[in-house]
Amino acid sequence: VGTAGSIRLETIPRQLLIIMSFSYQSESSSSHLLEMLHGGRPRNEEPHVKKSMKKYGEKVDLILRVDLDELGISEDEFDDLQSLFQLYDHDKDGILNLKETQKVLRCLGFRTNEEQAVSLARLVSCDRHGFSISFNEYLQLVSIQRKGEPDEETLLDVFQSFDPLNTGLISEAQFRKIMKSKDSIEEEDINEMIEEYKKMQIVDGAASPG
């Protein structure tokens, strides 16, 4: 024991120091648990969910703060998008982490690796550390991605450039060549697309009257 009741560090057994260290870290981390969950988001951020107690337990509603008309999202689409978000929002806080965002994007038809998911999250997220997205940021991202998609007329023009005889068909080899020109699309994904198409053809053929 040193002066004024202090304890010399070198006199404390190593195992006790380890226990003291874990105890201190536990107290510190518990006070910042919510902050660490989505660490890059503002501390004073408004809540993204509204919780209320019902007869059969707690009810969690997502808070909508964006204009759906401006985003070009109909009420029916909103219901579907909301259900999809809630499916992956496991902790029910109205925020998706990067992995959850990737899964949602995949369900929406966007196959992204981690780097691509980060790039998309950057477009809307205020989280510059973990790249999480809130419910309203998610709706904004869906709107941005839709606006970036080509319209039907453009798609037809592209298809016809590979179908000069207007047969309405494109060969598998041509399809593979087009897809391989896209750096973001892997061979495995191309094979899966082709397999899914073939399955659809089999189903359509079976359903058609012979």
Side-chain angles (χ1 to χ4, degrees):
V1 179
T3 58
S6 61
I7 301 174
R8 292 183 183 278
L9 188 63
E10 62 267 22
T11 65
I12 302 175
R14 185 172 181 275
Q15 291 299 322
L16 182 56
L17 280 173
I18 294 173
I19 293 171
M20 291 168 64
S21 174
F22 276 123
S23 176
Y24 173 76
Q25 291 175 19
S26 177
E27 290 176 9
S28 300
S29 62
S30 61
S31 64
H32 299 292
L33 182 60
L34 187 59
E35 180 185 345
M36 290 175 65
L37 191 60
H38 303 293
R41 303 195 71 85
R43 293 187 181 184
N44 60 346
E45 188 175 23
E46 291 184 290
H48 300 285
V49 295
K50 180 180 180 181
K51 298 181 179 181
S52 57
M53 291 304 299
K54 299 296 181 181
K55 183 177 180 181
Y56 299 104
E58 186 179 61
K59 186 175 185 293
V60 180
D61 292 313
L62 292 163
I63 299 174
L64 178 65
R65 292 195 175 94
V66 293
D67 189 320
L68 294 179
D69 289 334
E70 286 185 5
L71 296 181
I73 297 174
S74 69
E75 289 186 12
D76 288 340
E77 290 172 330
F78 172 75
D79 290 339
D80 292 339
L81 291 170
Q82 179 176 236
S83 297
L84 179 60
F85 185 95
Q86 291 172 320
L87 183 64
Y88 289 99
D89 182 19
H90 300 299
D91 49 10
K92 308 301 178 188
D93 61 355
I95 301 172
L96 299 179
N97 62 35
L98 189 60
K99 289 294 183 186
E100 292 166 342
T101 299
Q102 278 185 268
K103 292 176 182 177
V104 167
L105 289 172
R106 186 181 180 90
C107 291
L108 292 171
F110 304 109
R111 293 175 176 271
T112 60
N113 56 32
E114 185 172 328
E115 184 179 350
Q116 291 166 335
V118 167
S119 296
L120 290 174
R122 281 181 184 273
L123 297 175
V124 294
S125 178
C126 63
D127 183 350
R128 291 299 182 236
H129 174 65
F131 306 105
S132 60
I133 62 170
S134 68
F135 177 57
N136 290 277
E137 290 169 342
Y138 154 74
L139 293 174
Q140 291 171 329
L141 180 58
V142 170
S143 177
I144 290 171
Q145 288 301 104
R146 285 183 175 180
K147 289 174 182 177
E149 292 176 356
D151 57 27
E152 186 175 350
E153 186 176 348
T154 302
L155 289 173
L156 283 173
D157 286 341
V158 172
F159 185 89
Q160 286 172 352
S161 69
F162 292 97
D163 180 29
L165 299 178
N166 292 320
T167 62
L169 301 172
I170 185 171
S171 71
E172 183 177 322
Q174 284 177 309
F175 179 78
R176 286 185 180 276
K177 185 177 180 180
I178 297 166
M179 291 295 103
K180 284 180 179 179
S181 68
K182 307 295 182 182
D183 294 335
S184 60
I185 303 179
E186 299 178 0
E187 182 75 24
E188 181 182 349
D189 293 330
I190 298 173
N191 291 334
E192 187 175 333
M193 292 179 199
I194 292 172
E195 286 303 314
E196 285 298 319
Y197 172 76
K198 288 179 178 177
K199 288 178 184 176
M200 290 170 60
Q201 289 295 98
I202 292 172
V203 172
D204 288 345
S208 300

